[in-house]
């Protein structure tokens, strides 16, 4: 799973039927320090997180598990909110 | 799921049998601002979107869910049209 | 699915049993203009395409669908020949 | 599977239900020489490895196999500790 | 599937139970000319190839097919030895 910050919400009325009731967030992947890295993506989010919150998300086939429904056509889903990362000594 | 703009249609008469009736679009991934990024790809599209329209697509095993048929040999499919992205404050 | 050009054939006699009768091509991914991009790969091809021909291929679990046999140990397969790409106006 | 070093622990109380009892580590992928490479990630770890230890991890659908439960919403999991890599002559 | 050269063996005694009897190789992906490219990885290998030998490997869910056991927690496996690549004219 990768770290990301919620940056917005995707508005889409014409979408595949299995996605009808699924909120779609616009996520910016970030590094441990919270700095942007890589390409933003669209992910399902059933936690209702708001802009600025830090989360981790899963991708591919596992994403539908996060929605308790393997028949949903998603390949990315938020699976938790990150409070903090405790770094140990190397 | 990633954002992309429809840029064309792939013409292919000699193709795997499960793909016979599936329209194939030529997609350019874009960022939130609509600027091109990364490598264009071929994706199944049952929405009939036209050139210039913004969509989001899924990849890998999930793509066949989008076609309601797990036995179709695709690994990318358009799953919705994007009207807009509402950005929140960070 | 991504675009690629057939550039050769992989000769391999010592291979996993499920691959015994599967022709393996050496593919160079290309962009819409036919220019090389990214890393060449080994893909199953039941179309018998020849060097120089343009195709699109699928990856991961879907590749075995292309061979009508989910038990084949492949993660990339050619699924069609590309005649042309019709680009629309943006 | 890729090589990584455990660098910390992810603290997350609000998470998807199937993840409730799964310890989540913060992993830094490394090369054979132990040097950082690429993007850190969140992975499930049932070995209880500590900061600084070298491991290898699997991704995507296979990750849930590592937890003996295909219904867990993870896409990365530690599957072993690396003692050393024996390099042969090229 | 991608091309790689065997460069060593991964020694790991503390590992996930399904991996207990699986030899793990340290692979360096290479291009058609045999030059290193990209990031080395850990892959299951039931062929017993030695250092310096050229192989192709599969990744993700397909890797377990290569081991004839879908319940093994691997996401990369050697599936064949490459004798040579016959390049055609473009």
């Amino acid at each position: 799973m990768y770290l990301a910050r919620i940056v917005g919400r995707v508005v889409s009325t014409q979408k595949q039927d299995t996605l009808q009731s699924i909120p779609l967030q616009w996520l910016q992947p970030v590094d441990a320090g919270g700095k942007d890295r890589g390409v933003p993506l669209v992910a399902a989010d059933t936690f209702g997180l708001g802009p600025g919150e830090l989360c981790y998300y899963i991708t591919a086939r596992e994403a539908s598990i996060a929605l308790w429904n393997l028949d949903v056509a998603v390949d990315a889903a938020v699976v938790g909110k990150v409070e903090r990362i405790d770094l140990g000594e190397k």
Side-chain angles (χ1 to χ4, degrees), chain A:
Chain A
M1 287 79 73
Y2 289 102
L3 226 58
R5 196 182 57 242
I6 310 287
V7 290
R9 195 164 276 268
V10 176
V11 180
S12 167
T13 50
Q14 186 181 350
K15 55 182 174 179
Q16 208 260 4
D17 284 358
T18 60
L19 290 171
Q20 290 309 341
S21 57
I22 313 284
L24 297 175
Q25 300 269 23
W26 182 242
L27 262 60
Q28 171 63 56
V30 296
D31 63 23
K35 271 186 54 172
D36 294 3
R37 64 145 199 96
V39 174
L41 70 158
V42 181
D45 171 23
T46 58
F47 291 91
L49 299 181
E53 290 196 281
L54 208 61
C55 67
Y56 51 106
Y57 62 95
I58 53 170
T59 55
R61 191 65 181 136
E62 295 72 19
S64 52
I65 300 177
L67 304 170
W68 307 104
N69 184 347
L70 287 174
D71 298 327
V72 178
V74 296
D75 66 0
V78 172
V79 286
K81 179 182 170 179
V82 173
E83 271 113 64
R84 68 177 190 281
I85 295 176
D86 286 340
L87 296 179
E89 70 278 8
K90 292 189 190 188

